Amino acid sequence: MISISSKHGVTPLRIRLKADLKNKLIYAGKGFRLGEKAGTLHAGIDYLHSIDDIREEMDKFSRITGQLYYNNKVKVGSYSLNLDARLSQTITASKMKKDELTYEYDETYKADYARTALMMKAGLTLGKTWLDQLEMTLSADYTHDKITRHRMVLSGSGPMNMPLAYEEGEHEGIYLPQKYYSDFYIDNQPVNIYAQLHANSRLPLFRNTMLNLQYGAEYTNVKNHGAGAVIEDESRPPFPYDNSYMRPRPNYAIPALGTVAGYAQADFIYDDGQRNVLQLSIGGRTSMLLNLPSDYYLHNHLLGDPRINLSYTVGKKLKNTFRIGFGTESKTPTLDYLYPEKLYKDFYMLNAYTVDPQYRHLITYTNIYDVANRELKANKNRKMEAGWDLDYHGLSISLTAFYEQSEDGFEYFTQYHPLTYDLYTTLKPGVSIEGRTPQKSDYIQEQYSIFTTSQRVMNSSKVTKRGIEYRLIFPKIKPLMTTVEINGAYYQTDYASSLPLYVYPAVKIGGKEYPYVCIYDNDARNQYRRLNANIWLNTHIPRFKLFLTNFFQIVWLNTSQYKDNHDYIPTEYIDLQGNRLPVDDYVRNQIVADDGTFRYFRRTILPVKYARNNKPVSLLWNIKATKEFKKGTKLSFFVNGLLDISPKYLSGSKITQREWHDPYFGLELYFNFDL
């Protein structure tokens, strides 16, 4: 676990300067005592300038962040109350952005970003057996993120046709100019609210045995109050054929997502004070998504996640700890998964473009698909682990074996929809449209059938992880004033899907679209294996107030491989009438005989696709040096990728490849001033 806390309390004036290839940072902060009983106030401000690529002017980013942190400890009768409050504000420093193209096309780009966050926490220490500590945390943040653009749209291949329909069926369309300006803005205003009530109790049960209880409740709420993409003139979209800009949905139309949860954990600890410590932890968490429509599977659905851990430690100087554990975690779908935008599919029925704009005529056919999956479930992640720890005179060894599995992960699944509409492309014999606007009656009516696709989120992703993690910490090497730590892991991860595989052959029969979509039993998976070792050499030379850190990463094994166990003949197929049909003996014989329309049902996967990619052993060396001066002043310098050995190799598909990593370096400077 990485725990990050904001600077607070009484501190001297501290100034931090940091510079690397992408970031430039300056920070100043100081903590004050407001009075004997009034607590402390820490104030800090920093300026950051960041750019990912100096050749891309539009990627430059500058922001200013200010923060106030108040802390106080007061007595409430015989109890102790700890009060914390933090207020932070972030704003962009460079709103207008320019590059060569914006100058050339006379465009404007303005990015306006501001974030305000407030946190309040009160911790009451009672020291009672039935209630030792009680803590309440409240936090909220509001972000205003708005991008305003005046953008030139160019079509290099000719005029673009554009539908305007918001309803299904036949509609008039328009032709976009080859060059035009589009004015629009994107408005995001997310608000996040969080509240937690947490309590601890310590209950002595009997001799050498203690029961520690942790329990509480949480509430979160997320809502975007922004307008989303707002186009000044919808007949001049900034990104033609992008549904988010052609038919924008306001962000505030997406419902808020709330979550309420309760949790509890009981730690039974037996310590005989000699050589034996036995700890049993039993806990669980229940949660529920709020504000979901009643037709959603997760509406009022209570999720439960139990966990149990058992550890036994024996010995004093030589300590051995044996531990096992099991637990689950429910991962709920995000707002994007729960409330996706409707999908508009547009096809032209009549596309009569002429040089004279007054005689142009475009008729489109629009289908609307609701791709929201109201049957989405939470993804239940299950993990088991067993481990052993050893501690002896500064030597520490830790081994953990684990197995983790989830079968209802979220992934986008391609669905095929048969569609038939009228198409007007061939003029009737003897009909002339010169000097007038073409109409449908001028053309021969043809029926055109195709399969169109949509993407829908499904609980279909299966992930299985297994492996061993290790960590070794050696006693300090006093002559070298260096400590050595080696850690790493072996991982094997399998990614698969629980849904059948849909394949649409990319062929035409008699000049028409292929009339079938094939459905295969899917038992394919991608397997990744990795074995690495991280070596840390931490050197502290007190005489020179110098700290040196050398980090080496060696990847001994890094492989990937595609595997499957299914037949290459489908079990079912879909026709253009939407019928789902089984592959009977007649169809199977046609496939085997490689004859007729059904011969394209056979899947062909070259053996090279199953070949394993074995990357060679690689080495990475990073270094960081820190020098302390008087009054706490420090200078740090780091280089990532000082040495990078990644040999080229021959992949499973017999292609020579190599992984390239760019070195990265920078420095930090800290100043402390006693004011």
Side-chain angles (χ1 to χ4, degrees):
M1 182 185 71
I2 299 176
S3 179
I4 300 176
S5 59
S6 301
K7 294 182 176 66
H8 61 277
V10 179
T11 64
L13 174 63
R14 292 175 176 170
I15 296 177
R16 178 191 177 202
L17 304 174
K18 179 181 179 180
D20 55 43
L21 294 176
K22 295 183 179 180
N23 304 293
K24 307 294 184 293
L25 172 72
I26 180 171
Y27 163 83
K30 179 174 172 55
F32 307 87
R33 185 172 297 281
L34 301 178
E36 185 177 347
K37 296 183 178 181
T40 64
L41 180 67
H42 191 282
I45 187 171
D46 67 71
Y47 170 79
L48 172 69
H49 179 72
S50 177
I51 182 169
D52 187 59
D53 190 333
I54 60 174
R55 297 167 297 183
E56 299 293 338
E57 289 289 324
M58 300 294 284
D59 290 342
K60 287 184 178 180
F61 176 77
S62 300
R63 62 128 173 97
I64 300 173
T65 299
Q67 179 173 284
L68 296 174
Y69 196 112
Y70 173 78
N71 174 258
N72 195 11
K73 293 183 179 180
V74 298
K75 285 288 185 179
V76 181
S78 59
Y79 307 137
S80 175
L81 179 64
N82 194 359
L83 299 174
D84 293 89
R86 182 183 68 235
L87 176 65
S88 64
Q89 178 70 48
T90 300
I91 59 173
T92 50
S94 55
K95 298 181 179 181
M96 302 300 297
K97 297 187 178 183
K98 286 282 188 179
D99 62 5
E100 292 181 359
L101 288 179
T102 57
Y103 281 114
E104 181 180 350
Y105 295 150
D106 193 25
E107 296 180 341
T108 59
Y109 184 107
K110 182 181 179 182
D112 197 348
Y113 177 90
R115 180 178 182 270
T116 305
L118 175 65
M119 182 277 296
M120 295 181 293
K121 182 168 64 175
L124 182 63
T125 302
L126 300 171
K128 301 291 185 180
T129 300
W130 55 275
L131 186 59
D132 185 31
Q133 290 181 323
L134 183 65
E135 182 180 88
M136 173 172 279
T137 303
L138 298 172
S139 68
D141 66 79
Y142 166 74
T143 301
H144 181 256
D145 186 4
K146 185 176 181 180
I147 296 176
T148 306
R149 293 198 66 177
H150 175 69
R151 182 177 186 270
M152 176 180 284
V153 181
L154 296 172
S155 173
S157 58
M160 296 176 287
N161 51 53
M162 177 186 168
L164 297 174
Y166 280 82
E167 297 178 353
E168 286 191 327
E170 181 180 326
H171 300 277
E172 296 286 334
I174 64 171
Y175 291 97
L176 296 175
Q178 288 186 287
K179 174 182 176 181
Y180 64 88
Y181 282 101
S182 178
D183 292 281
F184 69 101
Y185 65 87
I186 304 171
D187 179 38
N188 286 291
Q189 299 183 49
V191 176
N192 300 287
I193 299 173
Y194 174 78
Q196 183 191 57
L197 181 63
H198 178 79
N200 291 335
S201 298
R202 296 171 58 87
L203 305 173
L205 297 180
F206 39 85
R207 185 180 179 183
N208 300 328
T209 304
M210 177 69 68
L211 171 61
N212 293 336
L213 293 176
Q214 301 180 61
Y215 45 95
E218 293 178 348
Y219 171 76
T220 61
N221 186 280
V222 180
K223 170 68 176 177
N224 194 331
H225 297 270
V230 178
I231 318 299
E232 187 174 297
D233 182 356
E234 291 192 0
S235 67
R236 295 294 182 264
F239 304 99
Y241 307 117
D242 187 328
N243 190 58
S244 300
Y245 293 92
M246 284 178 56
R247 301 174 176 99
R249 175 182 62 170
N251 289 327
Y252 56 74
I254 303 173
L257 182 62
T259 305
V260 63
Y263 60 90
Q265 179 169 310
D267 299 318
F268 298 89
I269 304 173
Y270 170 79
D271 187 351
D272 63 3
Q274 301 295 322
R275 319 170 25 92
N276 300 285
V277 178
L278 180 67
Q279 179 170 336
L280 173 64
S281 298
I282 302 175
R285 177 184 176 92
T286 59
S287 60
M288 179 187 294
L289 292 180
L290 305 178
N291 200 38
L292 284 179
S294 58
D295 58 341
Y296 276 68
Y297 174 85
L298 289 173
H299 172 73
N300 289 340
H301 190 90
L302 191 65
L303 303 170
D305 293 310
R307 66 183 66 171
I308 182 171
N309 289 279
L310 177 65
S311 68
Y312 172 63
T313 302
V314 58
K316 273 198 167 183
K317 293 183 180 180
L318 174 63
K319 288 185 178 181
N320 282 279
T321 300
F322 305 92
R323 48 190 166 79
I324 57 174
F326 170 80
T328 68
E329 179 187 12
S330 295
K331 299 180 180 180
T332 55
T334 62
L335 279 170
D336 286 344
Y337 292 163
L338 291 171
Y339 305 107
E341 292 188 67
K342 290 182 179 179
L343 178 63
Y344 291 79
K345 287 284 188 172
D346 304 292
F347 309 90
Y348 73 84
M349 300 172 64
L350 173 63
N351 186 5
Y353 180 83
T354 62
V355 177
D356 193 338
Q358 64 177 326
Y359 298 138
R360 297 171 186 171
H361 195 190
L362 176 66
I363 302 177
T364 62
Y365 186 85
T366 299
N367 258 41
I368 304 175
Y369 297 96
D370 183 3
V371 294
N373 184 2
R374 293 164 177 80
E375 296 300 318
L376 275 182
K377 303 176 183 179
N379 179 27
K380 184 78 71 173
N381 192 68
R382 300 171 179 85
K383 185 174 182 179
M384 297 178 289
E385 67 176 37
W388 167 65
D389 303 324
L390 180 144
D391 288 288
Y392 179 72
H393 291 296
L395 173 66
S396 178
I397 301 175
S398 179
L399 291 173
T400 302
F402 68 91
Y403 178 84
E404 188 174 347
Q405 186 179 44
S406 64
E407 296 184 347
D408 295 311
F410 309 108
E411 67 176 350
Y412 284 96
F413 180 75
T414 301
Q415 293 183 314
Y416 289 85
H417 311 277
L419 178 64
T420 299
Y421 61 94
D422 293 332
L423 189 61
Y424 302 88
T425 57
T426 305
L427 281 171
K428 292 179 178 178
V431 174
S432 174
I433 57 173
E434 285 194 22
R436 64 183 181 88
T437 302
Q439 302 296 328
K440 290 193 300 181
S441 58
D442 298 323
Y443 294 83
I444 298 175
Q445 180 179 342
E446 305 172 69
Q447 276 199 338
Y448 190 66
S449 298
I450 60 170
F451 283 101
T452 183
T453 61
S454 65
Q455 297 287 317
R456 197 181 195 199
V457 179
M458 306 289 283
N459 290 111
S460 56
S461 176
K462 297 167 60 177
V463 180
T464 302
K465 300 179 181 179
R466 54 176 63 87
I468 298 177
E469 298 174 335
Y470 64 90
R471 185 183 186 191
L472 293 87
I473 301 177
F474 296 93
K476 185 175 183 178
I477 306 174
K478 294 183 179 180
L480 300 178
M481 292 173 282
T482 299
T483 59
V484 180
E485 177 179 339
I486 302 176
N487 59 48
Y490 167 77
Y491 292 110
Q492 178 180 308
T493 307
D494 293 278
Y495 297 94
S497 177
S498 60
L499 292 178
L501 179 66
Y502 286 62
V503 175
Y504 182 55
V507 295
K508 288 190 175 184
I509 304 295
K512 295 184 177 181
E513 304 294 332
Y514 193 72
Y516 304 119
V517 171
C518 307
I519 304 174
Y520 301 84
D521 287 338
N522 188 17
D523 191 19
R525 72 182 189 274
N526 290 307
Q527 185 180 92
Y528 299 87
R529 298 186 303 159
R530 181 182 174 95
L531 172 63
N532 74 295
N534 303 318
I535 304 173
W536 300 82
L537 304 177
N538 299 306
T539 303
H540 179 204
I541 308 176
R543 179 181 177 183
F544 299 108
K545 295 183 177 181
L546 184 65
F547 297 83
L548 294 174
T549 299
N550 285 275
F551 169 77
F552 300 89
Q553 182 179 74
I554 305 173
V555 180
W556 302 101
L557 175 69
N558 194 353
T559 72
S560 61
Q561 187 176 18
Y562 173 81
K563 298 182 176 183
D564 71 37
N565 300 308
H566 61 76
D567 198 350
Y568 299 109
I569 295 178
T571 55
E572 295 178 298
Y573 62 99
I574 302 173
D575 63 18
L576 283 169
Q577 286 70 47
N579 301 312
R580 187 163 176 158
L581 305 170
V583 174
D584 54 21
D585 291 338
Y586 170 76
V587 176
R588 186 176 295 273
N589 291 334
Q590 290 277 81
I591 299 172
V592 173
D594 196 22
D595 188 25
T597 304
F598 294 111
R599 68 180 183 272
Y600 298 105
F601 277 24
R602 177 185 291 275
R603 292 182 67 207
T604 301
I605 301 180
L606 298 176
V608 70
K609 186 172 182 179
Y610 298 96
R612 176 178 293 170
N613 288 316
N614 291 291
K615 297 182 180 180
V617 176
S618 63
L619 170 66
L620 178 68
W621 178 22
N622 300 338
I623 187 171
K624 182 176 182 179
T626 301
K627 175 71 171 78
E628 285 189 344
F629 300 93
K630 293 182 178 180
K631 297 183 179 181
T633 301
K634 293 191 297 183
L635 175 65
S636 297
F637 177 77
F638 69 90
V639 181
N640 293 340
L642 180 64
L643 177 64
D644 179 16
I645 301 176
S646 299
K648 63 182 180 180
Y649 64 97
L650 197 64
S651 69
S653 56
K654 306 304 179 184
I655 299 175
T656 301
Q657 295 182 344
R658 182 175 182 178
E659 291 189 356
W660 296 93
H661 302 91
D662 296 326
Y664 194 79
F665 59 89
L667 59 86
E668 291 182 81
L669 183 60
Y670 295 83
F671 293 100
N672 284 340
F673 299 94
D674 295 324
L675 298 178

